[in-house]
Amino acid sequence: MSSSDTKIITVIGSGLIGRSWAMVFASGGYSVKIYDNQPGQSTKAIVEIKKQLQELEDAQMLRGEATALQQVALISSYDDLSQALEGAFFVQECVFEQLEVKQSIFQDIERLVGKDVILSSSTSCLVPSNVFSKVQNRSRCLVSHPVNPPYYVKLVELVPHPETAPAVMDTTHTLMTKVGQAPVRLRKEIDGFALNRVQAAIIAESWRLVQIFQSSPLRKPVPLDLSRWHPISTFCAEEESTNTEPDGKNWLTEKVDDYCCDIY
Ligand code: NAD
């Protein structure tokens, strides 16, 4: 049996994104092994996932054919990386957004898996050539950049490393489609990927609107909830954008500046 027949996916990191990916893959019938380097963290993640899946089932919003309990039964937790990776054909990394942390975990993972195992990163904006620079066999590496949380927002950007094999992009595209996501392929890596660039333009324009509304004597600023799950999150224009610092900057301007610096 080839490793891709085993239907095991390993999720590395059991935070917000890792838990949501685990739910997505389990909804597609895959066995999911979650690993976190904080002892007990992945076990806690399963408790949280079980609660979420039961709530989704009650609200008739559960994805997939199986019941919530059947899906939870597909997910297991590990504090040991080698055990977590055993039998997996696909690895979805979801650790902190820090280049060194990602480079290090992919080095560890590569030592423990076969050459045909696909290594996929959830990074928000680190380009694949940096994330995978310490991996020896980079033809099986790519970024699968989700929108937070992937269980609810299906768009996922597939961003190749310059050495990524076309078959790896194809397999990942097929997998993502099979579990109900809406994958979009980028032909090559680019700073900010596509999604962040489009999102940055929307945020910048929305911020300009906030400023226009603020300067109008006839209009009150409106609260804009542009991207509920994004780090820049809810634009409470009425309360926050008027909180101007002595240097003329304010909370929202700084948030927008930080975000644009992060992605480019
Ligand atoms: P998080 O902080 O909620 O979770 C990170 C988890 O990784 C923690 O449980 C932590 O213990 C674990 N971890 C850290 N180092 C580890 C290691 N070496 N080995 C194993 N586990 C480790 O972070 P998150 O919001 O889930 O983000 C995860 C990734 O997804 C990041 O790269 C982030 O940029 C990306 N992402 C986040 C969002 C978002 O809006 N939150 C959206 C898209 C992509």
Side-chain angles (χ1 to χ4, degrees):
M1 189 162 66
S2 84
S3 58
S4 63
D5 295 330
T6 57
K7 294 190 70 181
I8 295 174
I9 294 176
T10 301
V11 170
I12 307 287
S14 62
L16 213 54
I17 296 294
R19 293 196 299 269
S20 199
W21 271 130
M23 289 164 60
V24 169
F25 294 135
S27 76
Y30 288 90
S31 289
V32 183
K33 298 168 103 177
I34 309 184
Y35 165 78
D36 200 291
N37 68 348
Q38 297 302 306
Q41 196 66 29
S42 54
T43 306
K44 282 190 201 150
I46 295 187
V47 174
E48 172 62 23
I49 287 171
K50 184 175 181 185
K51 185 169 159 269
Q52 281 193 45
L53 290 178
Q54 280 171 339
E55 285 171 3
L56 286 162
E57 189 169 57
D58 291 346
Q60 299 188 330
M61 288 171 65
L62 189 69
R63 288 173 58 170
E65 304 294 316
T67 64
L69 280 180
Q70 287 167 336
Q71 293 188 28
V72 174
L74 289 171
I75 307 174
S76 50
S77 62
Y78 296 83
D79 290 341
D80 179 274
L81 183 60
S82 61
Q83 286 175 11
L85 292 167
E86 210 174 303
F89 76 97
F90 190 91
V91 176
Q92 185 68 36
E93 168 274 314
C94 313
V95 304
F96 299 137
E97 186 77 344
Q98 288 169 16
L99 183 58
E100 300 72 25
V101 177
K102 291 195 188 282
Q103 287 174 334
S104 164
I105 192 75
F106 276 119
Q107 267 187 313
D108 294 344
I109 293 167
E110 188 176 39
R111 277 196 283 272
L112 294 166
V113 299
K115 283 198 166 67
D116 57 344
V117 175
I118 295 178
L119 308 186
S120 170
S121 172
S122 298
T123 180
S124 294
C125 55
L126 301 169
V127 288
S129 49
N130 289 336
V131 173
F132 300 112
S133 63
K134 297 192 174 161
V135 173
Q136 299 297 314
N137 170 14
R138 293 184 282 260
S139 64
R140 39 64 173 276
C141 298
L142 80 164
V143 164
S144 302
H145 171 220
V147 183
N148 182 20
Y151 194 86
Y152 300 99
V153 188
K154 296 182 175 184
L155 175 64
V156 51
E157 285 184 290
L158 306 184
V159 188
H161 182 281
E163 294 169 36
T164 304
V168 167
M169 293 293 281
D170 291 346
T171 303
T172 306
H173 191 277
T174 303
L175 167 66
M176 292 297 173
T177 307
K178 199 171 162 198
V179 297
Q181 298 305 95
V184 171
R185 290 177 210 237
L186 268 62
R187 289 198 189 140
K188 60 178 184 177
E189 67 178 21
I190 180 171
D191 284 337
F193 311 149
L195 199 151
N196 294 316
R197 284 171 172 256
V198 172
Q199 189 162 247
I202 294 171
I203 289 170
E205 190 52 36
S206 302
W207 176 223
R208 269 192 286 277
L209 285 174
V210 170
Q211 290 174 314
I212 289 166
F213 291 148
Q214 268 188 327
S215 62
S216 161
L218 299 176
R219 304 289 293 272
K220 280 189 80 179
V222 290
L224 298 178
D225 190 353
L226 283 178
S227 170
R228 188 168 167 213
W229 303 101
H230 194 270
I232 205 161
S233 194
T234 306
F235 276 46
C236 276
E238 195 154 11
E239 288 167 60
E240 302 283 6
S241 68
T242 52
N243 179 19
T244 304
E245 304 295 332
D247 63 359
K249 282 205 153 196
N250 67 25
W251 172 88
L252 193 51
T253 315
E254 282 175 3
K255 274 273 195 188
V256 172
D257 286 350
D258 287 350
Y259 176 63
C260 292
C261 285
D262 278 351
I263 67 166
Y264 297 124

